Amino acid sequence: MMPPEAPANDASASADRPPAASVCAGPAYRILRNRPDFLAAARARRQGTPSMNVQARHRAEGEAAGIRVGFTCSKKVGNAVARNRAKRRLREAARAVIPELGRDGWDYVLIGRAGITADRPFEQLKDDLRHAIRKLHAPGGPRT
C-alpha cells in the first residue's frame, strides 16, 4: 500500500500534486567540517552574545568561495542529547540570519553555551546572532 501523499503512477495526477519528498533549496552557505577551518576561525575575530559565541574569519583570496558556517558545542553544554539540541537550534538560527547578514568570503563558527543556547527563546537566539554578525562586520570590528 502506498502512502497517501505519494504521487499516483499515471501522468495526469503527477501534474496536480507536488512530489512527496521536499524540494526546498538548501542553505545559502556551506557547512564547515574540517578541523583546520575551525582552528583558523578560532584565531580570527570573535563576538560573544548571551546565547552563543560567534567566530568569524575573512578568508584569503583564492581560498573557498561563498559563505561557510560551522557549529560546535563543548561537553560543558551537556550530554550528547543537549549538545545536539543546541546545535540544531544554532543551525536554524543560521539558516534564518546568515543569508541576510553573512558576507561572501567569510567563515562563521557558532559555539553553543551551556544552559542557555538550548533554552533561549528562538527569536532572541536569532537576534543574538544578528547582533554578533553586525559587530563582527562593523568598522574596526571586535578585537582579534
Side-chain angles (χ1 to χ4, degrees), residues 2-118:
M2 291 180 43
E5 70 274 4
N9 289 337
D10 63 325
S12 64
S14 65
D16 298 336
R17 287 182 142 183
S22 174
V23 291
C24 296
Y29 53 82
R30 291 195 332 246
I31 303 294
L32 287 176
R33 300 196 189 279
N34 297 326
R35 182 170 167 76
D37 293 329
F38 281 87
L39 294 175
R43 290 187 302 270
R45 296 178 171 191
R46 60 185 62 98
Q47 179 65 46
T49 68
S51 61
M52 72 186 83
N53 286 319
V54 180
Q55 299 170 339
R57 159 180 104 95
H58 189 241
R59 292 188 303 272
E61 198 65 37
E63 230 177 311
I67 300 171
R68 300 189 307 180
V69 182
F71 308 94
T72 187
C73 291
S74 73
K75 287 190 176 182
K76 290 179 185 177
V77 172
N79 62 13
V81 174
R83 291 193 307 271
N84 286 333
R85 180 167 190 255
K87 285 191 282 187
R88 276 195 310 271
R89 296 189 86 227
L90 290 174
R91 278 193 294 271
E92 286 305 312
R95 190 176 321 224
V97 174
I98 296 291
E100 167 191 341
L101 296 175
R103 293 190 183 173
D104 191 35
W106 283 73
D107 289 343
Y108 302 94
V109 175
L110 282 59
I111 304 169
R113 287 194 166 178
I116 300 172
T117 304

